[in-house]
Amino acid sequence: MRVIGVLGGMSWESTQSYYKAINEGVNHALGGFHSAPMVLVSVDFAEIAALQRQGNWQAAGALLTQAAKRIELAGAEGLLLATNTMHKVAPEIEAAIHIPLLHIADATGEKCQQDGVTRVGLLGTRFTMEQEFYKARLKGRFAIDVLTPKDDDRQAVHDIIFKELCHGQFNESSRQRYLDIIASLHRQGAQAVILGCTEIALLVDQRHTSVPLYDTTALHASKAVAWALGN
């Protein structure tokens, strides 16, 4: 197996999901006592979140690039950036390392293409929903049109992520708000909705709605397992 590098801590709540999903995927494929060879570096999210608020993406990118280099030096053969939002600085990280970065939007776009989905709703942080780094990759590489919620709904999605989910708080009222927003995107023509923040699937999953959901954490982890196994 190839050694998977995971750059996590954004937040640690969702990084747990990566660790579990990757190891479960490897064990499902190989059985017995098999688990995933992995190098994990987890950053202090307080530093990253402060730089996000300041709009200082250059400094955030530099911080994550240093962490990625540590992962490579520790023996990882490929890198997962265990966050949607910080893929904004993925090009800077890729330029500084010599191992492949398995992009979260590619894992999601590939699954959408397989399912014949060409128009999706996107939930995530305001950075992910409003900036082009994620939406443009889905459009440019996979011909997927992306719908985002209206402004007050975008703010609600963002606030629930940072004020609740990143702190391990899961409230029924917030789940219902998300489900209402998902239903609205579906009425506007979204064939499915991307849970484009690694924390969202901790609150909402396919059991809660008939609208098809794409859990980016699960898809990213699955891509990592396939890559590690050489598939």
Side-chain angles (χ1 to χ4, degrees), residues 61-117:
L63 194 157
L64 293 187
T65 295
Q66 290 305 310
K69 288 179 177 179
R70 293 201 301 274
I71 290 172
E72 183 177 15
L73 286 171
E77 297 171 82
L79 178 66
L80 292 189
L81 188 54
T83 162
N84 284 273
T85 297
M86 293 313 298
H87 274 75
K88 178 176 174 66
V89 299
E92 292 92 320
I93 295 171
E94 286 183 293
I97 59 177
H98 303 91
I99 57 177
L101 185 147
L102 308 180
H103 201 290
I104 196 167
D106 292 348
T108 305
E110 288 164 7
K111 177 60 175 171
C112 289
Q113 274 196 337
Q114 290 170 15
D115 293 346
V117 171

Side-chain angles (χ1 to χ4, degrees), residues 186-225:
H186 185 55
R187 288 193 298 271
Q188 294 172 56
Q191 298 163 273
V193 173
I194 294 171
L195 306 183
C197 175
T198 52
E199 281 79 27
I200 295 177
L202 300 172
L203 181 67
V204 175
D205 62 42
Q206 198 61 72
R207 297 171 298 171
H208 300 121
T209 177
S210 60
V211 178
L213 301 179
Y214 288 101
D215 174 0
T216 55
T217 301
L219 293 171
H220 204 197
S222 179
K223 184 178 180 70
V225 170

Side-chain angles (χ1 to χ4, degrees), residues 110-170:
E110 288 164 7
K111 177 60 175 171
C112 289
Q113 274 196 337
Q114 290 170 15
D115 293 346
V117 171
T118 58
R119 197 175 200 209
V120 297
L122 174 63
L123 302 184
T125 65
R126 288 197 75 117
F127 315 115
T128 301
M129 290 186 288
E130 294 176 359
Q131 298 181 24
E132 289 301 312
F133 66 93
Y134 199 93
K135 295 183 290 184
R137 193 169 183 109
L138 290 174
K139 179 66 174 177
R141 293 195 173 210
F142 303 100
I144 296 170
D145 291 325
V146 179
L147 300 175
T148 56
K150 60 183 181 180
D151 185 69
D152 60 334
D153 286 342
R154 292 199 303 274
Q155 190 63 53
V157 171
H158 180 93
D159 287 345
I160 289 167
I161 291 167
F162 280 95
K163 295 180 180 179
E164 299 176 19
L165 304 184
C166 286
H167 298 289
Q169 299 175 19
F170 310 106

Side-chain angles (χ1 to χ4, degrees), residues 11-69:
S11 68
W12 71 263
E13 295 282 351
S14 62
T15 302
Q16 291 183 105
S17 301
Y18 270 91
Y19 187 78
K20 183 173 186 288
I22 291 169
N23 278 296
E24 285 179 344
V26 166
N27 186 259
H28 179 75
L30 300 179
F33 292 108
H34 284 289
S35 57
M38 198 180 310
V39 176
L40 170 64
V41 169
S42 188
V43 298
D44 180 1
F45 188 44
E47 296 178 40
I48 300 296
L51 293 170
Q52 288 176 343
R53 289 192 299 271
Q54 296 163 17
N56 192 346
W57 299 101
Q58 182 176 1
L63 194 157
L64 293 187
T65 295
Q66 290 305 310
K69 288 179 177 179

